[in-house]
Amino acid sequence: MNKTVNNIKINYEDKGSGDLIVLLHGWGSNIKLFANLIELLSRKYRVVAMDMPGFGESQEPPSAWCVDDYADFVVDFLKDYNADEVMLLGHSFGGRVIIKLNNKRNLPFKITKVILVDSAGIMPPRSNKKSWKTRKYKMGRAILSTKLMQKLAPNALEKLRVKYGSADYAAASPLMRQVLVKTVNEDLEPLLPNIKCPTLLVWGVNDTATPLSDGEKMEKLIPDAGLVKLENAGHYSFLDQQFTFNRVMCSFMKIGD
């Protein structure tokens, strides 16, 4: 399905009936990875999942958005549903957006349940190796940002950014690279105590992108949270251990066999 929200064409799925649950995917991902989850949840609920702006088959945002902009967009996307209550499930970057939504005032709906799967939002501690890498990048950026160097080597600065950036950065478009920089540099840890509804945290024990320690910290900071650890699963725990993940979801969401 497609619809235009705030002049941005969005690809989305809408399946099932009942109370509304919204699925938000991770960075560089799309709703195709949620196919199994949509099928499962739609047995009892109305499930809405969208390719967020700049991902999948949806158009990019008009400018370099921050996480707040994505949260505002989700609210605007949901206006047509006139829902008084909404449940939210987010993987990785989608978790960031959900944390922000739970900290917004005057939402047009009440958030009744939250599910965070290998969620982003906790700033990683800087190692000495990373600190040195960052310093080298900043020194190089300072030199290559001068008018003279931009004239002599106009592509050098972008090549430096790709070299020192993550795989996500290298794979992103120029605009989405700006979005990524804004996103990863915001620490959402102080916002976690404001998630007041029942919250399920699901984590792959072998997750290296958002390590299990992030999930353990979230469990301590979110008042009504429980953490489920999935063995032999990485950052995409809902795919790596699909059967066990589905059992956990059925229990939390009260979906019968």
Side-chain angles (χ1 to χ4, degrees), residues 121-169:
I122 303 289
M123 287 285 278
R126 283 202 175 276
S127 64
N128 290 334
K129 186 177 179 181
K130 280 188 177 179
S131 296
W132 171 235
K133 185 178 178 181
T134 301
R135 284 200 298 272
K136 283 201 295 184
Y137 166 68
K138 287 183 176 179
M139 286 188 288
R141 185 181 63 184
I143 295 168
L144 295 175
S145 295
T146 61
K147 288 183 179 179
L148 177 62
M149 289 305 298
Q150 286 185 337
K151 188 174 181 180
L152 293 173
N155 298 321
L157 181 57
E158 184 57 27
K159 288 180 180 178
L160 181 78
R161 286 174 174 149
V162 171
K163 178 181 177 181
Y164 283 96
S166 64
D168 284 336
Y169 185 89

Side-chain angles (χ1 to χ4, degrees), residues 99-254:
I99 293 168
K100 282 286 190 174
L101 281 165
N102 277 271
N103 280 266
K104 286 201 168 294
R105 295 182 178 180
N106 303 317
L107 281 176
F109 49 78
K110 179 183 178 183
I111 301 173
T112 57
K113 276 187 179 181
V114 162
I115 302 163
L116 299 177
V117 184
D118 301 290
S119 177
I122 303 289
M123 287 285 278
R126 283 202 175 276
S127 64
N128 290 334
K129 186 177 179 181
K130 280 188 177 179
S131 296
W132 171 235
K133 185 178 178 181
T134 301
R135 284 200 298 272
K136 283 201 295 184
Y137 166 68
K138 287 183 176 179
M139 286 188 288
R141 185 181 63 184
I143 295 168
L144 295 175
S145 295
T146 61
K147 288 183 179 179
L148 177 62
M149 289 305 298
Q150 286 185 337
K151 188 174 181 180
L152 293 173
N155 298 321
L157 181 57
E158 184 57 27
K159 288 180 180 178
L160 181 78
R161 286 174 174 149
V162 171
K163 178 181 177 181
Y164 283 96
S166 64
D168 284 336
Y169 185 89
S173 70
L175 176 63
M176 295 307 291
R177 287 174 181 173
Q178 295 177 54
V179 173
L180 180 61
V181 170
K182 284 186 176 183
T183 298
V184 299
N185 287 319
E186 186 174 6
D187 184 12
L188 304 186
E189 186 175 330
L191 305 183
L192 294 171
N194 296 325
I195 301 177
K196 305 298 186 184
C197 62
T199 302
L200 172 65
L201 306 168
V202 185
W203 238 267
V205 171
N206 302 328
D207 190 342
T208 56
T210 54
L212 178 59
S213 57
D214 289 3
E216 292 170 339
K217 185 173 285 188
M218 288 187 182
E219 184 183 26
K220 290 178 181 177
L221 293 173
I222 298 171
D224 187 10
L227 173 64
V228 175
K229 305 172 186 179
L230 298 184
E231 298 287 343
N232 302 312
H235 189 54
Y236 289 81
S237 61
F238 65 101
L239 296 176
D240 294 339
Q241 291 292 343
Q242 184 172 292
F243 176 80
T244 306
F245 182 87
N246 285 358
R247 297 294 295 177
V248 171
M249 288 298 300
C250 286
S251 176
F252 185 70
M253 299 299 293
K254 297 180 171 56

